Amino acid sequence: MAERLGVGVAARLSRYLQVLTQARKMGKERISSQEIAEYTNINATQIRRDLSGFGKFGKRGVGYSVDSLLSEIRKILRTQGQHNIALVGAGRLGAAIASSPIFAEHGITIAAAFDADPGKVGTTLGGVLVSPLDELDAIVRDRSIVVGVLAVPTDAAQDAADRLIEAGVKIVFNYTQALIDSPSDVQVHTSNPAVELLYALYFHLT
């Protein structure tokens, strides 16, 4: 696909990728747009529209081949080049996220890391220098970052999200227990172990 993906499409494809990866781990060979919708809270019609733009992967009443769709979405995201993200929080969770190979596999680069703790500022996380929160706005704009990851204490999550959004970030992945308030044009995706467990049970029971 020659045309560069919009941020919204790229974000949705990344979420479909998560579902498909989990589905394959659980031994599913085919999956319907409705199942993907249940998992992602993205409308099934939108899912079919997104996927139809990249070829005829699914058959009505049969669904999509998990392996084929997984392979194709990976290829699409990889050929679209690097997607820069900012990580806020350089503690244990931040370090685990930064060291994960998953981002690199999907053409995603942690381009900046931030922390409010002066003791962490100046250290490196996954090869990226940790900067103070006061520099977030300038660095996010300078590096064309549109995705932010929150790995901070729950009581610091809203402030960190506000800073990211003010700097122009449009997609926030929230790894805290906080409920994040955001403008309508900003997508917030919250992930925690309990939710992941529910998703796994959903696939197991259907």
Side-chain angles (χ1 to χ4, degrees):
M1 188 185 171
E3 224 176 285
R4 185 160 182 83
L5 292 178
V7 171
V9 182
R12 290 195 300 274
L13 287 177
S14 298
R15 292 172 73 191
Y16 304 156
L17 202 60
Q18 281 184 308
V19 179
L20 292 161
T21 302
Q22 183 67 23
R24 187 166 69 176
K25 282 180 187 172
M26 303 195 74
K28 288 178 78 74
E29 293 181 3
R30 305 198 73 84
I31 191 166
S32 69
S33 55
Q34 191 55 51
E35 285 177 289
I36 300 173
E38 292 282 347
Y39 187 100
T40 59
N41 290 324
I42 296 169
N43 184 283
T45 303
Q46 178 66 63
I47 292 168
R48 287 192 293 272
R49 190 180 298 130
D50 287 340
L51 300 180
S52 69
F54 306 114
K56 301 292 181 190
F57 297 117
K59 292 181 182 176
R60 193 169 183 82
V62 180
Y64 301 97
S65 158
V66 171
D67 281 345
S68 298
L69 197 51
L70 198 54
S71 169
E72 194 62 30
I73 292 178
R74 275 188 177 145
K75 197 193 315 175
I76 290 160
L77 288 174
R78 200 175 291 123
T79 56
Q80 289 295 311
Q82 298 286 329
H83 298 282
N84 288 345
I85 69 172
L87 174 64
V88 185
R92 278 184 292 183
L93 177 57
I97 292 169
S99 63
S100 169
I102 292 171
F103 292 113
E105 285 174 9
H106 301 315
I108 298 169
T109 300
I110 295 178
F114 303 93
D115 204 282
D117 180 357
K120 292 189 174 71
V121 171
T123 62
T124 58
L125 204 64
V128 179
L129 187 71
V130 178
S131 302
L133 273 177
D134 289 346
E135 294 179 12
L136 185 147
D137 189 87
I139 290 174
V140 164
R141 292 181 192 279
D142 180 59
R143 299 180 190 173
S144 302
I145 292 169
V146 293
V147 180
V149 176
L150 298 179
V152 296
T154 300
D155 58 3
Q158 186 65 57
D159 177 62
D162 289 344
R163 286 172 180 260
L164 287 166
I165 292 164
E166 283 166 21
V169 163
K170 294 297 181 187
I171 303 166
V172 176
F173 285 89
N174 174 28
Y175 284 91
T176 79
Q177 299 295 314
L179 290 173
I180 303 296
D181 286 326
S182 65
S184 59
D185 64 335
V186 174
Q187 299 175 50
V188 177
H189 307 293
T190 298
S191 179
N192 63 55
V195 174
E196 299 300 329
L197 175 60
L198 289 173
Y199 289 157
L201 285 171
Y202 165 76
F203 276 120
H204 179 69
L205 297 171
T206 56

